[in-house]
Amino acid sequence: MLRAFGELTVPSRLLVVNQFGINLGFYLVLPFLATYMGSLGFAAATIGLVLALRNLSQQGMFLVGGSAADRIGCRPMIILGCALRILAFGLFVVVDDLPGLVVAAVLTGLAGAFFNPAVRAYLMHEAGDRRAEVFSVFNVFGHVGALAGPLLGAALLAVDFRLVAGVACAVFTVLTVAQLFVLPARPVEPQDRGVIGSWGEVVSNRRFLLFALGGAGYFALFNQLYLVLPVEAERVSGVTGAVSAVFVVSTLVGIAGQVRITAWCRARWSEGRSMAVGLLLMGTGFVPIGVAAPFVPTAAAGEWTAAGLLAVAPVLAGTVVFTVGMAMTSPFSLSLLPRVGSEQLAGTYYGWYYLVSAVVVAITNTAVGELLDRFPDGSGRWVPFAVLLAIGAAGGAVIAGMARTGRLEPRPVPTT
C-alpha cells in the first residue's frame, strides 16, 4: 500500500491524506453525538431528528456541491467544505441548546456535500488512466481514519464531549490550511450551458441513470454496516461490544485488502465485471447470516460467553465477504462514473450519483428496518437478509448487463 501511495502525484497524495483526516475528524464526533445529546436530556425522537437533518443536508446538497465544483473549481469547494467543518465542530464546543446543535449538525452535513464530490472529481482528473488504483488507496486511508476516529473519540469522551469536538475542529483546521498552501488549483473547463442545462443532460443520459441504479445497490448494502450487521451481532451475542467487532473486522479487511484486491481484479477482469462481482459478493455476505439467523435465538444482555462467540461468528464471516465485495465495487464504480457520464461535468455527475443513491438508501433502510421489526426472531428472520442478497444480485446484474452490451465503454470521440 505504501508503494501505491508513493506512486501518486503530490496533489493526489494530499487528497488521500485529506480523506484520512476527514474521516478521523468526522468519526471523532458523530458516533458520540447521540449519546451526548441524551446526556443533555434530549428525547430520542429529537436526537433522531437532528441526525436526520445532518444526513439530509449532506445527501440532499451533493448535487449543488458537485455542480459548483464544475463551475468554480474543485479546490475552492474542498477548502470551503473543510472550513465549514471547522465552524460546525467549533459550534459543538460552545453550544448545548437545540437550535445550536441543529445548526452545527446541518453545517456538518453541508460541508460534506461541498467537499465530497469535489475531492472525487479532482482525483478523477488527476489520476488519468489509473483511477481505480488511486481510488483504492483513497479508500484505504479513509478506512484508517474511520477506525482511528472512534478509538480516539472514545478516549477523549472520558474527559468531555466538548474536547472531542475541539480536537475534530483542530483536525479540520490543519486540513484547511494544508489545502490552502499545498493543493494546486486545476483549470476549470468552460461550461457551454447553465446549471439547469447540465442537470438536464444528466437526467437525459439513460446510460448514466442505469449505472446509477445499479451502483445504488452498493450504497444500499454499505449502509447495512450501520443497521443490519450491528443489530444482528448484538441480537445473537447479547453483547453491545459485538457492534464494535463488526466495524473493526470490516475496517481491518478494508485496510489490509483494498489495494491488493483492486490490483488482482485489474489484472484479470474488466472494470465492469469487477464492479458486478463486487456487488454480488456484498449481497452474498448476508447469506451465512441469513442461514444461521432462524436457528439462533435472541441472547439475553450480558458479557461474552462461548455461546455468544459462536453465535456471532456467521455475522463476522459475512462481514468479511461483504467487505471484500465493497473493496471490489467502490474504486471501479468511481472510475467508471465519468465514463458513463462526462469528464467535463464530473462534479455534477458525482452529485447526481450520490443523490440517486441517497433516495435508494432511504427506501432500502426503511424496508429492511420494517422487516427486522416484523421478523425479530425465529423462522422468518432470514427474510431481510434474503432481500439484501437480492439487492446485491440485482445491482450486479445491471452492471454486468451494461458491460456485456458495451455500455461501459468510453464514448467514441467525434471526428471533424
Side-chain angles (χ1 to χ4, degrees):
M1 198 274 289
L2 291 177
R3 178 182 176 184
F5 177 75
E7 293 173 349
L8 302 181
T9 63
V10 172
S12 295
R13 289 181 200 170
L14 177 61
L15 290 179
V16 163
V17 174
N18 180 66
Q19 185 64 13
F20 163 78
I22 285 173
N23 278 8
L24 174 67
F26 181 84
Y27 287 103
L28 260 170
V29 175
L30 264 294
F32 309 106
L33 180 57
T35 304
Y36 172 62
M37 291 186 65
S39 71
L40 295 175
F42 291 105
T46 302
I47 297 170
L49 175 62
V50 172
L51 295 177
L53 288 173
R54 188 216 67 80
N55 186 69
L56 180 63
S57 66
Q58 180 159 325
Q59 301 287 354
M61 294 296 287
F62 264 135
L63 180 56
V64 174
S67 295
D70 287 333
R71 282 159 176 78
I72 68 174
C74 296
R75 181 178 179 271
M77 295 304 296
I78 295 169
I79 294 170
L80 175 60
C82 287
L84 274 180
R85 281 275 168 94
I86 299 173
L87 177 59
F89 290 140
L91 278 175
F92 281 126
V93 175
V94 298
V95 303
D96 59 7
D97 61 313
L98 183 59
L101 292 170
V102 168
V103 171
V106 168
L107 286 176
T108 300
L110 190 61
F114 285 169
F115 62 62
N116 271 318
V119 167
R120 285 155 178 79
Y122 194 116
L123 274 178
M124 182 273 294
H125 289 298
E126 189 71 21
D129 60 357
R130 298 187 65 250
R131 289 172 184 166
E133 290 79 4
V134 171
F135 280 119
S136 69
V137 178
F138 179 79
N139 285 348
V140 171
F141 275 72
H143 282 308
V144 175
L147 178 63
L151 296 176
L152 179 58
L156 296 174
L157 193 64
V159 180
D160 191 350
F161 177 81
R162 288 171 293 183
L163 176 61
V164 176
V167 172
C169 184
V171 168
F172 277 95
T173 300
V174 172
L175 293 178
T176 304
V177 172
Q179 288 160 136
L180 275 169
F181 289 99
V182 182
L183 186 66
R186 291 192 61 88
V188 180
E189 296 190 36
Q191 304 293 328
D192 56 2
R193 66 192 73 188
V195 173
I196 301 302
S198 66
W199 291 0
E201 175 188 319
V202 174
V203 298
S204 64
N205 184 343
R206 295 182 180 179
R207 185 165 78 148
F208 163 75
L209 293 178
L210 185 60
F211 179 84
L213 286 175
Y218 168 83
F219 294 94
L221 297 176
F222 171 80
N223 273 267
Q224 303 316 309
L225 268 174
Y226 306 98
L227 180 60
V228 161
L229 291 172
V231 165
E232 187 65 8
E234 186 170 355
R235 182 189 77 84
V236 300
S237 68
V239 180
T240 304
V243 175
S244 298
V246 168
F247 284 100
V248 169
V249 167
S250 178
T251 302
L252 291 178
V253 171
I255 292 170
Q258 177 69 78
V259 172
R260 293 181 177 87
I261 291 167
T262 301
W264 188 93
C265 292
R266 170 73 81 187
R268 291 163 177 80
W269 296 339
S270 68
E271 292 181 318
R273 184 177 182 184
S274 299
M275 182 178 173
V277 174
L279 284 165
L280 179 59
L281 266 183
M282 288 181 73
T284 303
F286 296 99
V287 171
I289 309 171
V291 169
F295 304 101
V296 183
T298 300
E303 301 297 325
W304 281 112
T305 64
L309 289 170
L310 183 62
V312 84
V315 180
L316 298 182
T319 299
V320 171
V321 176
F322 170 85
T323 306
V324 171
M326 282 173 49
M328 293 176 67
T329 305
S330 179
F332 292 108
S333 67
L334 293 173
S335 176
L336 285 167
L337 185 56
R339 187 182 298 175
V340 299
S342 162
E343 305 231 356
Q344 185 183 29
L345 292 172
T348 302
Y349 272 96
Y350 279 120
W352 272 100
Y353 184 58
Y354 284 102
L355 181 60
V356 170
S357 298
V359 173
V360 172
V361 167
I363 295 170
T364 303
N365 273 10
T366 302
V368 171
E370 174 64 26
L371 290 172
L372 289 173
D373 289 339
R374 183 172 298 183
F375 303 104
D377 209 338
S379 60
R381 187 65 178 181
W382 61 271
V383 175
F385 304 103
V387 170
L388 294 171
L389 170 61
I391 290 172
V398 169
I399 301 302
M402 292 186 71
R404 187 173 58 253
T405 55
R407 282 178 284 183
L408 295 180
E409 297 301 317
R411 291 175 176 172
V413 178
T415 57
T416 58

